[in-house]
């Protein structure tokens, strides 16, 4: 029997009867999970890398064929609008993105072409993302827990591997402290808050949309919030719901992102909380007691030291 997941993965199987066994099979390399609701965008043309380099947060001009990376499309104010996992095959850049976002991303990119030699296509109807351990293919991208994601034609069969549901993948993702755009973020999230600096943001590249916010926080400020990993009370008979309040002493200090039951760690989750929440504090996540583990340090940012004697002086 197939059990279906919750939004944004409601089109996928949550599990096929034994979520813990499916997690173990994914780690062992004997199963794959079809993440067929992911959007897939293809950008071809000789100007593709320099053009994407000018728009996205990652350094892409020197991306080699077969080399995978991550990148963000930011708003002018530095808030995350899209998270792309991408790879170039020598002729085109292929990117997979969150469910339901590929058409919007492709439309934005298409508007930004001007006279450059690039072509943008939403190919989600023809291609899908499949994830597992030890997978190999032309369009392979590193994922979590040593796993690989492949962009493959829809209906591709992986002989000798069983199926795992999306709950298995999500539990492994959360355990690896990997934030997921749209679940562990909101409309105000900036890259520093969720640990995407150095992962999906290159700090020494030319201008791109939203760069000013990234540079200001990295050099002079601190992000207002930080991602934390939650060890949830195992005696509770439920997981915290997505978007519900995280509280400290009855005061709201953040919100729950993802939660899952891990085959070794038990109930776990990710949350975005205020930066100044004490790191040793026990939190309440939707009424479930939760110890926290640092993912993003409260000291993130403010990497430039200004001599106090120079404050207020015009140089």
């Amino acid at each position: 029997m197939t059990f279906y997941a919750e939004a944004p993965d409601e089109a996928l199987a949550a599990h096929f009867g034994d979520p813990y066994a499916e997690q173990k099979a994914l780690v062992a390399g004997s199963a794959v999970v079809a993440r067929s609701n992911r959007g897939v965008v293809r950008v071809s043309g000789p100007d593709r890398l320099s053009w994407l380099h000018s728009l996205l947060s990652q350094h892409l001009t020197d991306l080699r064929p077969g080399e995978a990376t991550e990148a963000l499309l930011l708003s002018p104010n530095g808030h995350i609008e899209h998270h792309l996992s991408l790879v170039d095959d020598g002729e085109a850049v292929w990117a997979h993105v969150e469910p339901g976002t590929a058409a919007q991303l492709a439309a934005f990119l298409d508007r930004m072409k001007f006279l450059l030699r690039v072509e943008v296509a939403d190919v989600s109807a023809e291609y899908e993302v499949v994830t597992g351990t030890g997978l190999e293919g032309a369009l392979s991208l590193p994922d979590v827990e040593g796993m690989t994601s492949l962009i493959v034609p829809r209906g591709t069969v992986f002989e000798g591997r069983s199926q795992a549901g999306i709950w298995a993948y999500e539990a492994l993702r959360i355990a690896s402290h990997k934030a997921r755009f749209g679940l562990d973020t909101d409309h105000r999230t900036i890259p520093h808050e969720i640990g995407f600096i150095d992962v999906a943001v290159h700090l020494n590249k030319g201008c791109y949309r939203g760069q000013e916010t990234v540079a200001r926080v990295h050099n002079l400020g601190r992000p207002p919030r930080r991602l934390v990993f939650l060890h949830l009370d195992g005696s509770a008979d439920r997981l915290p719901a997505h978007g519900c309040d995280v509280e400290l002493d009855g005061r709201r200090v953040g919100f729950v992102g993802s939660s899952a039951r891990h085959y070794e760690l038990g109930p776990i989750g990710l949350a975005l909380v205020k930066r100044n929440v004490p790191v040793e504090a026990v939190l309440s996540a939707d009424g479930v007691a939760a110890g926290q583990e640092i993912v993003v340090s409260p000291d993130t940012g403010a990497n430039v030291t200004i001599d106090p004697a120079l404050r207020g002086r015009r140089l």
Side-chain angles (χ1 to χ4, degrees), residues 39 53 85 88 99 109 126 134 142 150 158 197 240 250 256-257 281 291 306 313:
H53 178 90
S85 296
D88 189 87
L109 293 176
E126 295 84 42
L150 300 182
F158 292 83
I197 301 299
V256 177
I306 299 176
R313 291 176 57 184

Side-chain angles (χ1 to χ4, degrees), residues 12 52 98 113-114 121 186 194 229 236 249-250 263 281-283 296:
L12 302 181
L52 289 172
E98 286 296 328
K113 290 192 310 183
F114 304 113
D186 60 15
I194 57 172
F229 177 74
D249 299 329
Y263 74 104
V282 175
L283 306 174
V296 174

Side-chain angles (χ1 to χ4, degrees), residues 9-43:
D9 297 321
E10 65 272 21
L12 302 181
H15 63 89
F16 297 95
D18 192 340
Y20 291 148
E22 292 166 26
Q23 289 179 45
K24 295 175 184 178
L26 270 180
V27 173
S30 58
V32 294
V33 54
R35 298 162 67 198
S36 53
N37 61 338
R38 300 283 296 176
V40 180
V41 174
R42 184 177 186 267
V43 180

Side-chain angles (χ1 to χ4, degrees), residues 47-60:
D47 295 331
R48 65 189 182 280
L49 291 177
S50 59
W51 177 64
L52 289 172
H53 178 90
S54 70
L55 295 172
L56 304 179
S57 62
Q58 189 58 271
H59 197 296
L60 299 173

